[in-house]
Amino acid sequence: MVSNRAGKARSIRECLEIDGKWRNEQVIKFGPEDLVGVSLPHNYALVIQARVANYDVLKVFVDNGSSVNVILKEVLIQMDLHEYQLEAVETTLFGFSGHSVYPGGEITLPLILGTGDLRKTVMIVFTVVDALSSYNIILGRPAMNEMRAIASNDHQKIKFPVRGRVEEVRGDQSSSRRCYGETVRVDQKRARKEDKGKMVSRAKEVAGEREVHFVAEEDQEVVEVELGKHIRVARDLNVSTRVSLLNCLKANIDVFTWSQQELVGIYSLVAEHKLNIIPGSRPVKQKKRHFGPEKDKVVDEQVEEVLRAGHIREVQFPTWLSNVVLVPKATGK
């Protein structure tokens, strides 16, 4: 057994020892005094300004959850460093900008934090990424470990030891707020683009399905599966498929509904549909529309059918009232 005191001593040695050598550094701590000037309460990311390769870079995101340091290709272009030979990297980044990204390579650049005599310079390996982001640079765990820095989102600061003293860099909450807004707009734009692509793809798929599976009415024949229960079957079905289809329907005939009256509904404790209407909203009452003699006849027939089935009921003074919508079937009816 190892005593609790011995365990604590071992943990301290493991934290302070590197390659068998003790390092003598200042204790880094955060207190109430570090909250001075911080707008509370907040949930902002820690966004700072840093000097990288002799350039002052804004919108630098300190992310302790990132396993790599990231710099955007656009930032390198503005630094005139994009023509430098990048070291090849084969690792794919996941989670950056919400998608998997294949890096363009790696580059080592000097990172400077702090001011005056407490400036600290370290060489940082950055992974170059060509993607949309509201941040110019992401400082991950490798950079924070190299700086021996401790970050506190709550206090909007990072602190690190420099020559026996502790220097600090404060985050910019206004910049963090703007970056968040930009990120939301980029994500919404990407989501709309993806949804539109999915809708177009699905529309093409459905159109293809209709083109393949639609059979003209004159190419169908009515088949009685059971007394009073009929279906339409394509005339050009081969014998084996036709027999299999009819046998399947006969074996599971109680699964299907063959009339409006058989649609008895679902018990309200199982499922219930409600209209999510804003309280106090003014009821909508549309004037009755006429679709022409032929379409009005269809409307009357359909309404009468669901009325007989008990799916709807007549009311004399409706609060909400809207016209029916006629949708053409695949057959053109």
Side-chain angles (χ1 to χ4, degrees):
M1 292 290 291
V2 179
S3 68
N4 188 34
R5 180 176 297 178
K8 289 182 179 179
R10 185 177 66 251
S11 297
I12 292 174
R13 287 197 300 272
E14 290 174 351
C15 291
L16 297 180
E17 191 177 2
I18 298 179
D19 296 331
K21 297 180 181 180
W22 288 73
R23 70 173 192 267
N24 185 18
E25 293 182 350
Q26 294 293 320
V27 175
I28 295 177
K29 61 180 180 179
F30 294 87
E33 65 278 3
D34 293 303
L35 291 173
V36 176
V38 178
S39 178
L40 295 173
H42 75 84
N43 194 27
Y44 296 123
L46 182 52
V47 179
I48 65 172
Q49 177 179 338
R51 191 163 181 81
V52 180
N54 293 324
Y55 287 88
D56 290 324
V57 182
L58 302 176
K59 298 190 294 186
V60 177
F61 175 32
V62 179
D63 183 10
N64 285 322
S66 177
S67 59
V68 294
N69 309 305
V70 176
I71 186 170
L72 295 186
K73 181 180 179 181
E74 180 63 29
V75 176
L76 287 183
I77 293 175
Q78 294 183 22
M79 291 179 172
D80 292 329
L81 297 175
H82 60 288
E83 295 182 355
Y84 278 61
Q85 185 67 34
L86 302 181
E87 296 183 13
V89 59
E90 297 181 356
T91 304
T92 302
L93 299 182
F94 293 93
F96 184 77
S97 297
H99 293 76
S100 60
V101 177
Y102 190 78
E106 290 182 343
I107 187 171
T108 303
L109 300 172
L111 169 68
I112 302 175
L113 292 179
T115 58
D117 295 337
L118 295 182
R119 288 196 308 174
K120 188 172 185 178
T121 304
V122 293
M123 300 302 294
I124 300 297
V125 177
F126 289 97
T127 301
V128 181
V129 171
D130 186 9
L132 291 176
S133 175
S134 56
Y135 305 108
N136 294 318
I137 287 177
I138 295 178
L139 294 183
R141 292 192 301 271
M144 299 300 290
N145 291 340
E146 190 68 30
M147 291 289 298
R148 314 223 61 79
I150 305 297
S152 172
N153 272 36
D154 186 38
H155 298 88
Q156 286 289 290
K157 280 184 180 180
I158 64 172
K159 295 185 178 183
F160 49 90
V162 185
R163 291 183 287 278
R165 299 168 63 183
V166 176
E167 174 65 323
E168 62 184 36
V169 176
R170 181 180 290 276
D172 185 348
Q173 286 185 292
S174 60
S175 178
S176 178
R177 183 168 55 250
R178 288 193 299 271
C179 288
Y180 175 76
E182 292 173 9
T183 300
V184 171
R185 287 192 292 271
V186 169
D187 290 344
Q188 289 176 342
K189 185 177 180 180
R190 182 185 296 113
R192 287 194 296 268
K193 186 176 181 181
E194 290 178 353
D195 290 343
K196 184 177 180 180
K198 290 179 181 178
M199 291 176 62
V200 171
S201 177
R202 179 55 185 162
K204 290 181 179 179
E205 181 181 343
V206 171
E209 290 174 356
R210 289 178 176 175
E211 183 178 351
V212 172
H213 297 288
F214 173 72
V215 179
E217 190 171 350
E218 58 270 17
D219 295 327
Q220 304 171 12
E221 62 174 313
V222 178
V223 178
E224 188 176 54
V225 182
E226 197 176 83
L227 183 62
K229 298 178 179 179
H230 303 81
I231 64 167
R232 289 181 176 272
V233 179
R235 297 179 187 276
D236 59 353
L237 278 181
N238 59 60
V239 176
S240 61
T241 303
R242 181 189 178 92
V243 171
S244 298
L245 172 63
L246 295 178
N247 288 339
C248 178
L249 291 174
K250 291 178 180 178
N252 302 278
I253 199 165
D254 58 330
V255 174
F256 305 95
T257 58
W258 299 89
S259 67
Q260 292 276 6
Q261 285 72 19
E262 293 184 28
L263 294 172
V264 295
I266 301 175
Y267 192 45
S268 60
L269 292 178
V270 177
E272 186 175 17
H273 174 69
K274 293 183 178 180
L275 295 178
N276 189 17
I277 300 170
I278 300 176
S281 298
R282 184 179 178 181
V284 175
K285 289 187 177 182
Q286 295 182 350
K287 293 183 178 180
K288 184 179 179 181
R289 291 176 54 191
H290 292 281
F291 302 93
E294 184 179 355
K295 292 181 179 179
D296 282 343
K297 181 180 178 182
V298 173
V299 171
D300 292 340
E301 291 175 352
Q302 294 296 321
V303 169
E304 185 63 29
E305 188 173 348
V306 292
L307 187 62
R308 286 197 306 267
H311 297 163
I312 61 175
R313 60 186 175 86
E314 185 178 358
V315 293
Q316 296 296 328
F317 304 101
T319 305
W320 294 79
L321 184 65
S322 63
N323 286 280
V324 297
V325 179
L326 294 176
V327 179
K329 295 183 178 181
T331 57
K333 291 186 176 180

